Amino acid sequence: MKFTLSWLKQHLETTATLDQIVDALTRIGLEVEGVENPGEKLAAFKIAKVLTAERHPQADKLQILSVDAGDGPLQVVCGAPNARAGLVGVFGAPGAYVPGLDVTLKLASIRGVESNGMMCSTRELELGEDHDGIIELPEDAPIGTPYPDYAGLTDPVIDVAITPNRQDCMGVRGIARDLAAAGMGTLTPLIFDTFTSEGAGPDVRTEDTAGCPAFFAQTVTGVTNGESPDWMRRSLLAIGQKPISALVDITNYLMIDLGRPLHVYDRAKLSGGLVARKAKDGEQVVALNGKTYTLDKTMTVIADDVAVHDIGGIMGGEHSGVSADTTDVLIECAYFDPDHIARTGQKLTLTSDARSRFERGVDPAFLDDGLAIATALVLHVCGGTASAVTRSGEAPSEPRVIHYDPRLSADLGGLHVAPERQARTLLSLGFTIGAIKSADAFSDALFSTIEGKWPVTVPSWRRDVDGPADLVEEVVRIEGIDSIPSTPLPRLPGVAKPTATPEQKLERRARRAAAARGLDEAVTWSFLSEAEAAPFGGGAWTLANPISEDLKVMRPSLLPGLLAATGRNLKRGQQSVRLFEIGRRYLADAERATLGVVLAGDRRPRGWRDGKAASFDAYDAKAEALALLAAAGAPVDNLQVMGEAGDAWHPGQSGTLRLGPKTVLASFGMLHPLVLKAFDLDGAVAAVEIYLDAIPPKRASGFARPAYTPPALQAVRRDFAFLVPAALATDALVRAVKGADKAAIVSARVFDVFTGQGVEDGHKSVAVEIVLQPTAKSFTDEELKAVADKVVAAAAKQGASLRG
């Protein structure tokens, strides 16, 4: 939220400097995101007077001006229709940057005539939309003065990040109240003009007491809707709000000033009275942003006898808005239920300043005063006559009382604050304590009458305060979190015991192994859009109140987030992407710890030795899976490769690694082309998902490892070439061969696969190397032959025969 320093000082009497205010805001929990001076970008522009104006000899619509900006006459070519001798305006010399045109002025020749800068319009200086002519200032404007100094554009703009729980600080007055409580000044009384009303109030009512519990309204007849006052326009422009007209600017100003959204209707465009009701399924409304929205029966709308005019609490309708011809208006001041507002905004994917305040919860007790302030401003700026107020419904403003023990400040917040100081802090923030209604009414005598726990009444604008812990937070943040003393936790004597759980140790080993293998760690959202989750079976859990529609579904896999990150990297010119992430998948039964890997782009870059670049394939994915499983402590020698990994994976180019037929430790391979298309990825992409929670834990064997004793005798290697059916997985053959003699055979691996001449159709030749390790004595020829016979016999059970 943005506001100017002078705007803040309308509510806060203070002698504090800008730096002190900025420091205080961040200290009390209202983080300052930035401070800027809007006049800095216009510092090069000065007030200048047009001395003479003559027609350009080569162009009918151009004039040659003699301009004095305080340093003597300069020749300027100008095309503005209102340029004339005697006009006082704003001049930019060569070297000045014009923000509205995004150009830096320089000495130029226009149709053969030299021009030394330009006279500027409001649009060119981003001060408005008027581009019909150059700015005209009063004749007594001081020539040569920098325009920002003259126009009051040197007021610093403060940008504050408001957390969702601080709905009271969505207005400048709420921020001023916090600063006053922090000792930065005094909160000024809220005073507004009084006026008399004539005639009955407008015909308004609420039929949707759940979505719109209270609907107050007042009419003003005989208004003149021109430009808003200069002070209001400057305030809105400084914070990036575009002035539209007096009536619209008043509502925008009050929304930012007091945090109270309102809406103004042109009565001439209404048919009958206004009612807050539920929309009908399929009803449509054209909002002020020009878009058409289709509504349903869960949404609250404001409608007359003919049509819907307002998406309640979010955005008004286009066809009932005020214009320059408006003479009679109806001012709406309603209370909308925050939950209803949030759900409607999410369904329509429609955001607005009003929605951001209503869904946080505006002050339900500020309806009458808010409407009175708005009406008084309309009467003051636009004239007219006000009617009586019509009140339909009642806002939920039942006071909440919290019984508070001041010792909780030390017990929960870790900061000892004197009870009297705590009381003054809470009173300054608008809370009442027993009979003490404000900080001004505080006295030691009155305070001493409160015994036991304090009966603290929560102000109507603090929807977020619900219990004693919230009051502790208020005291501590105003006192200063940096005032909390650093107190070390008690430490047990001796060597500290390890605190990491086996699951944390497992993730640590896997993370280090992945990084050591050249993979880059990524951290992606745990939430996805429905479209991103769909290729992986969809999400089992959907958020009822998501940040946005793109972050709605709890991820069923880590791969969607990694694929999105891969796409962003590839589109920015990255040739090879190797990403991994350790996180949680959210399935119907539980959260599952998972390690995801995505390999895309070039596995090996092109070069003089290898020629073209090589891309990743399923074997690269399998190698990563086995290496990471080994680092995580999985028994990789006992794993089986089985079947395709699922619908998200490429058929025939993917598989799973399992312990037995049911325990799946990992899926690996190439991703399905339809998945890649869903994520706008070109080329093949390999991936791995390792299910860390499925890895069996190691058996406890004490801290000491057995001493390493290398074998005393040399290992023996033997090669076997088998003719096997083409459909047989070599993994099955290797496991059969290795299990032929578990005492003698320590390892087995495939080192060649051949099809072609000499191998009959439907078969392939698979060459396997086995390693035999003697223990007490070397193998004899007979023993080696016996082992070889066992190997051949085990292979035969898989349909393999020894090649001659």
Side-chain angles (χ1 to χ4, degrees), residues 52 88 259 386 544 792:
T52 62
V88 178
V792 173

Side-chain angles (χ1 to χ4, degrees), residues 704-751:
R705 294 181 180 179
Y708 174 66
T709 53
L713 301 175
Q714 186 173 345
V716 178
R717 286 175 168 77
R718 290 290 184 269
D719 296 341
F720 296 84
F722 295 104
L723 192 65
V724 302
L728 178 67
T730 57
D731 176 74
L733 178 63
V734 170
R735 282 188 287 105
V737 167
K738 186 176 179 181
D741 191 332
K742 295 182 180 179
I745 301 174
V746 294
S747 67
R749 70 180 184 90
V750 174
F751 67 88

Side-chain angles (χ1 to χ4, degrees), residues 515-539:
R517 292 185 61 80
L519 302 175
D520 298 313
E521 185 171 13
V523 179
T524 65
W525 288 101
S526 297
F527 314 106
L528 308 169
S529 66
E530 291 179 332
E532 290 174 324
F536 295 87

Side-chain angles (χ1 to χ4, degrees), residues 467-505:
D470 296 319
L471 298 179
V472 172
E473 181 184 358
E474 294 302 298
V475 171
V476 171
R477 74 179 181 86
I478 295 299
E479 196 68 22
I481 293 178
D482 55 346
S483 301
I484 299 175
S486 298
T487 305
L489 295 173
R491 182 171 180 175
L492 296 175
V495 179
K497 295 181 179 180
T499 58
T501 65
E503 292 79 11
Q504 290 172 328
K505 292 179 180 178

Side-chain angles (χ1 to χ4, degrees), residues 225-391:
N225 187 25
E227 281 193 350
S228 53
D230 188 55
W231 61 268
M232 185 179 292
R233 288 174 54 84
R234 279 205 302 265
S235 296
L236 294 175
L237 279 169
I239 63 171
Q241 289 274 352
K242 173 184 173 183
I244 298 173
S245 67
L247 290 170
V248 176
D249 293 349
I250 287 170
T251 61
N252 288 337
Y253 180 83
L254 291 179
M255 177 176 61
I256 297 163
D257 187 53
L258 303 174
R260 161 38 73 179
L262 304 111
H263 191 63
V264 178
Y265 298 89
D266 187 335
R267 291 188 67 193
K269 299 176 182 178
L270 302 178
S271 300
L274 286 179
V275 57
R277 61 168 173 82
K278 290 294 186 188
K280 301 172 185 176
D281 284 334
E283 268 190 315
Q284 291 187 328
V285 60
V286 181
L288 286 171
N289 61 5
K291 297 181 180 179
T292 300
Y293 294 92
T294 301
L295 313 173
D296 64 42
K297 60 183 180 182
T298 67
M299 302 175 183
T300 302
V301 298
I302 307 297
D304 62 10
D305 296 342
V306 176
V308 172
H309 292 286
D310 191 350
I311 305 171
I314 298 179
M315 190 171 287
E318 187 178 60
H319 54 281
S320 62
V322 295
S323 65
D325 300 327
T326 298
T327 57
D328 300 335
V329 296
L330 183 148
I331 306 172
E332 166 216 306
C333 185
Y335 179 82
F336 295 95
D337 177 69
D339 295 338
H340 283 72
I341 291 290
R343 285 193 292 268
T344 299
Q346 290 161 10
K347 285 184 179 180
L348 299 177
T349 62
L350 177 58
T351 60
S352 67
D353 290 331
R355 174 192 165 184
S356 68
R357 287 163 174 79
F358 275 123
E359 70 181 353
R360 283 173 164 87
V362 301
D363 184 359
F366 195 65
L367 290 172
D368 275 314
D369 285 349
L371 182 58
I373 292 171
T375 304
L377 260 178
V378 169
L379 293 172
H380 177 73
V381 175
C382 303
T385 304
S387 72
V389 177
T390 300
R391 300 173 179 86

Side-chain angles (χ1 to χ4, degrees), residues 119 146 204 339 390 404 412 513 526 644 736 746:
M119 298 293 289
V204 299
D339 295 338
T390 300
Y404 176 65
L412 292 182
S526 297
E644 281 80 23
V746 294

Side-chain angles (χ1 to χ4, degrees), residues 497-566:
K497 295 181 179 180
T499 58
T501 65
E503 292 79 11
Q504 290 172 328
K505 292 179 180 178
L506 172 63
E507 291 184 11
R508 189 181 299 167
R509 291 196 303 271
R511 179 176 284 108
R512 288 175 175 172
R517 292 185 61 80
L519 302 175
D520 298 313
E521 185 171 13
V523 179
T524 65
W525 288 101
S526 297
F527 314 106
L528 308 169
S529 66
E530 291 179 332
E532 290 174 324
F536 295 87
W541 301 96
T542 300
L543 301 185
N545 186 24
I547 297 173
S548 72
E549 287 297 309
D550 291 336
L551 299 172
K552 185 176 183 179
V553 179
M554 302 293 286
R555 64 185 178 193
S557 167
L558 268 65
L559 296 183
L562 289 173
L563 289 175
T566 298

